[in-house]
Amino acid sequence: MIPKPPANHRSPSANAETKPAPNRANPNRANPNHQRRRLAEKRVRFSDWKVRWYLWFKGYRLIARRWRCAAGEIDLILRHRNRLIFAEIKYRQHGMTNQILSRRQQQRITKAASLFLAKNPTFTTFDCQFDFIIMQAGQNFGIGKITHIRNAW
């Protein structure tokens, strides 16, 4: 039987030069990507609030925001007179506003809207409409022009 070395014993390879341990992220210091995501989330929340405020003054009334189901998420569900509006909001820092909403996203929102109507039968008598709202970056708190496209699809 071979005896075990003592606990404080160092092997010969430990005395040789070794590579330094990989630089681990300091848990006390925030990850720059995480900070960027948090800032983007704040910007999106503020733009959502500004869009709701904008639509309130146009006569739209909020029913739900960020409504989630198995099919996906709807940013805003609003009521305007006898219409039920399912709105998708996009915040863009650059001028690229065309082709933001793909066909697949439109189908996902449409499926989520049908599930909303199935779960909330009080709104089945309303006419449905899908709107698209684009917030562009600007000088005023990062929020610029609001473009509201009615009956987007």
Side-chain angles (χ1 to χ4, degrees), residues 98-111:
N98 55 348
Q99 299 298 327
I100 292 177
L101 199 61
S102 69
R103 188 77 181 146
R104 186 174 179 184
Q105 288 174 319
Q106 291 174 7
Q107 291 171 349
R108 177 186 52 80
I109 295 167
T110 305
K111 284 179 187 176

Side-chain angles (χ1 to χ4, degrees), residues 83-153:
R83 283 192 324 251
L84 192 64
I85 292 104
F86 300 96
E88 178 71 13
I89 302 171
K90 294 289 184 184
Y91 178 84
R92 291 292 177 242
Q93 292 185 357
H94 307 292
M96 295 175 42
T97 57
N98 55 348
Q99 299 298 327
I100 292 177
L101 199 61
S102 69
R103 188 77 181 146
R104 186 174 179 184
Q105 288 174 319
Q106 291 174 7
Q107 291 171 349
R108 177 186 52 80
I109 295 167
T110 305
K111 284 179 187 176
S114 64
L115 284 173
F116 176 83
L117 290 172
K119 289 184 179 182
N120 299 287
T122 56
F123 297 111
T124 54
T125 59
F126 286 60
D127 296 329
C128 292
Q129 176 179 317
F130 295 93
D131 290 2
F132 185 49
I133 301 163
I134 303 164
M135 293 285 305
Q136 293 179 346
Q139 298 297 325
N140 300 336
F141 303 108
I143 305 296
K145 183 180 173 186
I146 297 174
T147 306
H148 182 188
I149 302 170
R150 292 178 187 85
N151 285 323
W153 70 91

Side-chain angles (χ1 to χ4, degrees), residues 2-21:
I2 302 174
K4 291 184 179 179
N8 61 357
H9 173 73
R10 299 180 104 183
S11 65
S13 62
N15 293 334
E17 287 187 36
T18 59
K19 293 182 181 178

